[in-house]
Amino acid sequence: MAFRILQGLAGGGLLSTAQAILLETWPPEQVGTATAIFGLGAVFGPTVGPTIGGYINDHASWQWIFYVNIPVGCLALVGTLMYIRPTPSTGKDEPIDWWGIALLAIAVGSLQTILEKGEDEDWFAQPYIIVLTVAAVIGTLLFIWRELSTDHPIVNFKIMRHRSFSMGMITSFVLGLGLYGSNYVFPLFTQSLLGFSAQQSGEILFPGGLFTVFCMPFVGIMLNKGVPAQLMAVTGMILFYICSIMLSHSTLSSGTGDFFWPLAIRGIGLALLFVPLTTLAIGSLRGAEIGQGAGLNNMMRQLGGSFGIAGLNTLIHIRQAVHRNNLLVNITPYNSALTERLNILVQGFRAKGRSVMDATQMAYAAIERSVQKQSLLLSYNDAYWIVGIVMLCAIPLVFLQPFVKGQKAVADTH
């Protein structure tokens, strides 16, 4: 627990800092490409992570999931020391808003714990979930009050006056929901129902990540050439919706070939989503606002992922019960198809030397397993469908942001 907290403290600001450095140092005409390169890590990492994690899980001990970060961290440290130069600080004498930091940690920490543990603990049936909910609500309200009343806030809510950034926060939340939510559902589906190993599930996701990698630089180039970010973002949302609908028609006989094109379409859609949405969100910010905006934007994407995973997990459990009840309606002695199937199973078990009573019980147990698998399959298909609908419903939000061409949008950051 202590080391996980240390990991969060050390890594919490990496994405925001890296993005702020890019936006403040690259020439305006190249910011689209720079943001696209940055997006490779932010989007490609969660996509290929299951592949690496699956291989480690199948071929090594679980500790190596953490050990693999050591060489990567060392490489990042060397690169930082070689290429990142300190810049003069204009606010080094300003006081640090420790109260704001503490209230933000309480609010977000409580919320994350609720989302991660709520489904397993039957939500508000556990007293500590209720306590954390109260802490999250009160912490959030006090944090907002603190940041609006202090002269040196840790989070400057005044940047919310930019309509493009405010709408961008919501679209980033939706992006996180779709990205992390779908990455959560797919391995569960393939491993629990199709019998794939962790490595096989990761390998299926890998080609989609390659499509993201190959398309991301072209997205940056199109932004630099003046292609409207809104059009690319909307196209990405539509592609994400198409992928979700294709996956929602999965069956228990689906194989690796059935998932290639849906995940490839999703990979292209993610490339068209990440950079344009980031550009739209922070394109109207200036100076110190860029770092603040990048941090809030990344936080909203992470929160979207947390809400997406928790929401989809709850949805799967609820829909599984609904589908099970619907399927059990057909489990009656008057259903000729069921009777025929049951007799075949009984005869098969009796042929293996079982008594009539044992064979009948085993046949009913087999029918029960079939009902469970079918209800779970339908629940996962519902989850895919919901993710697609959420992405589609977010399209109007994109058009609420100022409609500017890509090059002007990225140039405005300077």
Side-chain angles (χ1 to χ4, degrees):
M1 176 68 74
F3 286 106
R4 291 291 287 173
I5 293 174
L6 180 61
Q7 182 186 39
L9 291 174
L14 290 180
L15 280 177
S16 303
T17 303
Q19 193 170 10
I21 291 173
L22 282 171
L23 294 172
E24 292 175 354
T25 57
W26 281 62
E29 67 275 8
Q30 296 181 7
V31 171
T33 302
T35 308
I37 295 174
F38 168 79
L40 291 179
V43 176
F44 184 63
T47 303
V48 302
T51 306
I52 300 174
Y55 181 85
I56 293 173
N57 186 67
D58 288 348
H59 297 278
S61 63
W62 61 268
Q63 288 90 341
W64 278 98
I65 294 176
F66 300 98
Y67 295 154
V68 294
N69 292 320
I70 296 176
V72 177
C74 292
L75 182 62
L77 176 61
V78 172
T80 301
L81 294 175
M82 290 179 61
Y83 300 107
I84 303 299
R85 296 291 179 262
T87 56
S89 176
T90 58
K92 61 181 180 180
D93 295 329
E94 295 179 357
I96 299 175
D97 183 18
W98 292 110
W99 279 108
I101 294 174
L103 291 170
L104 179 62
I106 292 172
V108 176
S110 299
L111 180 60
Q112 288 278 24
T113 304
I114 294 168
L115 294 175
E116 290 180 6
K117 299 293 185 181
E119 178 63 27
D120 296 335
E121 300 290 350
D122 196 19
W123 295 104
F124 298 105
Q126 295 296 328
Y128 86 92
I129 296 292
I130 299 176
V131 172
L132 288 176
T133 302
V134 174
V137 173
I138 295 178
T140 300
L141 295 175
L142 289 177
F143 172 72
I144 295 174
W145 170 80
R146 170 69 185 181
E147 299 310 284
L148 292 176
S149 60
T150 184
D151 294 330
H152 305 286
I154 193 67
V155 175
N156 183 13
F157 282 110
K158 293 180 180 178
I159 62 176
M160 300 297 291
R161 70 183 184 276
H162 300 287
R163 187 184 69 183
S164 183
F165 179 73
S166 300
M167 292 296 101
M169 295 270 285
I170 303 176
T171 53
S172 293
F173 183 90
V174 174
L175 175 60
L177 188 154
L179 173 60
Y180 296 106
S182 59
N183 279 350
Y184 166 78
V185 171
F186 186 79
L188 285 179
F189 164 64
T190 56
Q191 293 178 51
S192 62
L193 285 180
L194 303 184
F196 291 2
S197 66
Q199 180 180 344
Q200 288 174 321
S201 298
E203 289 173 347
I204 295 173
L205 289 170
F206 188 75
L210 292 180
F211 275 90
T212 303
V213 169
F214 292 145
C215 292
M216 196 79 79
F218 293 102
V219 172
I221 293 173
M222 286 190 291
L223 278 174
N224 292 337
K225 289 184 177 295
V227 178
Q230 281 90 345
L231 295 182
M232 285 190 283
V234 169
T235 302
M237 289 178 175
I238 293 174
L239 290 177
F240 209 108
Y241 169 76
I242 292 173
C243 162
S244 300
I245 295 302
M246 293 175 70
L247 290 177
S248 70
H249 290 87
S250 300
T251 67
L252 294 177
S253 59
S254 296
T256 55
D258 298 306
F259 301 124
F260 178 83
W261 285 113
L263 295 177
I265 292 173
R266 192 192 77 149
I268 299 173
L270 286 176
L272 291 170
L273 277 170
F274 186 86
V275 178
L277 288 181
T278 302
T279 300
L280 289 170
I282 63 180
S284 58
L285 305 183
R286 301 289 187 277
E289 292 181 341
I290 295 176
Q292 289 274 343
L296 285 173
N297 192 55
N298 288 322
M299 186 184 74
M300 287 301 293
R301 187 169 61 250
Q302 296 293 331
L303 285 177
S306 298
F307 273 93
I309 292 173
L312 290 175
N313 193 27
T314 302
L315 172 71
I316 289 170
H317 281 79
I318 293 175
R319 294 300 296 171
Q320 185 179 6
V322 172
H323 289 304
R324 174 181 167 80
N325 290 335
N326 292 336
L327 292 173
L328 288 178
V329 172
N330 300 307
I331 308 298
T332 67
Y334 307 104
N335 189 324
S336 59
L338 171 66
T339 304
E340 180 180 356
R341 176 61 178 166
L342 192 62
N343 290 334
I344 293 174
L345 290 172
V346 170
Q347 293 173 8
F349 289 127
R350 289 199 63 188
K352 296 180 180 179
R354 301 290 184 175
S355 66
V356 175
M357 181 177 295
D358 289 342
T360 302
Q361 291 178 346
M362 294 174 68
Y364 275 113
I367 296 294
E368 168 65 18
R369 288 192 297 271
S370 179
V371 169
Q372 289 180 347
K373 294 184 71 172
Q374 288 293 336
S375 60
L376 189 56
L377 170 67
L378 294 173
S379 301
Y380 283 127
N381 288 345
D382 289 344
Y384 292 132
W385 182 80
I386 289 295
V387 169
I389 292 298
V390 170
M391 297 297 291
L392 206 60
C393 291
I395 289 179
L397 298 174
V398 177
F399 292 105
L400 291 176
Q401 298 172 284
F403 198 92
V404 294
K405 291 186 176 181
Q407 189 171 357
K408 184 178 185 300
V410 296
D412 284 346
T413 61
H414 293 254

